[in-house]
Amino acid sequence: MVTQTIISTAEEVIASEEALRANAYALLATLLRTPPTAETLQDLARLEPDDTDLGRAIGSLGAAAAAANAGAVGEEFHDLFVGVGASELKPYASYYLTGFLYEKPLADLRDAMAELGIEIADDSAEPEDHIASLCEIMCGLITGAFGAPASLASQRAFFDKHLAPWADHLFEDLETVQSANFYKPVGAVGRMFMRIESQAFEMAA
Amino acid sequence: MSESQKLTSPERRSFFKKAGLGIGAAGVAAVGLSGNSLEAAQPESPKDRTASSYRETDHVKKAYETSRF
């Protein structure tokens, strides 16, 4: 029997690498939901690179955070993501998969959420197929925030249907869009993490 | 063996380690998840309501006094 490090979450005990996955999703959700505060930027500035692709991207994010100020990042966030019709990117599954908001991918997601027993909190106004919501759902499935931790098969089913078809395209766009600065390494981290997740799910099958 | 333990084959664990997930997540943990736009679809239990229910603190009493309630 392999000895494992375990990390306690609110609900259950999950293995350390699963907790790391949850943290990565939480990070992406945090950064894509709202602009970071000065305090969050300070935390991010402590991130250091290692010699993996993801580690280098994380190092770049740390460096970008160290060089950034919250006001400028807030403006960048607004230009990239906020404003119907006006934003550079529309980080919604429906938009990426059909070219329009509020299409079938959103309906499919709502069905999946109902099945998983997840609902949107009252104060959230944007459609649920926003990338941040999807990362939040993955995080919650891993940690058991919505009940017990979901089986890997159930996590994979959600990932394959609701993230895999488009999330890497969004992250690529984020890496390359002209007006992005702080968010370029966020795109790189996201793209690489999505790739790692796909590969790891393959491995588990 | 619980479902969560079954998730972690040694192969999967070492894959994540080689993929560089550890480093980032270690630092990233401090950042945490901001905002909770999603929640478990469970009705609020009466117990929860009691826990967060209104309590009349001195501050509130004062406010009542000054507004002549």
Side-chain angles (χ1 to χ4, degrees):
Chain A
M1 175 129 199
V2 184
T3 316
Q4 329 186 332
T5 315
I6 49 175
I7 292 177
S8 290
T9 66
E11 300 292 332
E12 285 239 6
V13 172
I14 57 174
S16 59
E17 58 277 15
E18 306 301 336
L20 298 180
R21 293 173 56 219
N23 284 346
Y25 279 117
L27 174 73
L28 291 171
T30 298
L31 291 176
L32 296 165
R33 169 79 63 205
T34 51
T37 61
E39 202 184 4
T40 301
L41 286 175
Q42 272 176 15
D43 288 337
L44 291 170
R46 290 201 292 269
L47 295 174
E48 285 184 10
D50 65 15
D51 59 0
T52 64
D53 287 343
L54 178 64
R56 274 187 285 275
I58 284 172
S60 301
L61 175 59
N69 78 71
V73 174
E75 277 173 32
E76 188 186 330
F77 182 92
H78 192 273
D79 291 346
L80 284 170
F81 301 120
V82 185
V84 177
S87 64
E88 290 253 18
L89 302 174
K90 292 174 185 58
Y92 300 92
S94 267
Y95 186 81
Y96 266 79
L97 295 172
T98 71
F100 299 95
L101 298 172
Y102 299 98
E103 283 293 326
K104 191 166 182 295
L106 175 60
D108 291 344
L109 172 66
R110 285 177 173 163
D111 289 345
M113 286 172 68
E115 222 164 275
L116 291 165
I118 303 168
E119 64 186 20
I120 198 156
D122 300 339
D123 59 349
S124 187
E126 61 199 359
E128 298 92 314
D129 62 344
H130 190 282
I131 184 69
S133 299
L134 294 169
C135 289
E136 225 179 286
I137 291 173
M138 283 302 296
C139 177
L141 293 177
I142 297 165
T143 61
F146 308 119
S151 70
L152 203 51
S154 157
Q155 290 177 32
R156 183 185 190 180
F158 187 89
F159 179 89
D160 283 354
K161 174 125 200 224
H162 301 287
L163 276 161
W166 70 285
D168 57 336
H169 297 302
L170 167 68
F171 288 127
E172 264 175 52
D173 287 347
L174 200 48
E175 274 183 278
T176 51
V177 71
Q178 192 119 39
S179 60
N181 181 21
F182 172 78
Y183 286 94
K184 278 186 201 293
V186 176
V189 168
R191 182 173 57 82
M192 281 164 203
F193 181 57
M194 291 298 102
R195 199 172 60 196
I196 289 167
E197 281 285 275
S198 293
Q199 287 171 355
F201 281 132
E202 286 292 325
M203 193 173 286
Chain B
M1 191 176 247
S2 83
E3 195 64 44
S4 54
Q5 280 172 313
K6 267 187 266 169
L7 301 184
T8 47
S9 68
E11 188 191 9
R12 188 173 154 83
R13 298 182 71 209
S14 74
F15 170 75
F16 280 125
K17 205 173 162 192
K18 275 191 216 131
L21 198 57
I23 265 279
V28 158
V31 178
L33 180 60
S34 78
N36 286 313
S37 68
L38 303 169
E39 60 195 11
Q42 285 165 0
E44 199 181 319
S45 75
K47 192 169 152 249
D48 292 339
R49 277 196 201 120
T50 313
S52 61
S53 70
Y54 167 77
R55 273 182 300 171
E56 197 174 356
T57 62
D58 287 343
H59 176 77
V60 173
K61 276 182 199 153
K62 183 91 185 287
Y64 273 27
E65 275 164 28
T66 50
S67 59
R68 295 172 192 279
F69 266 110

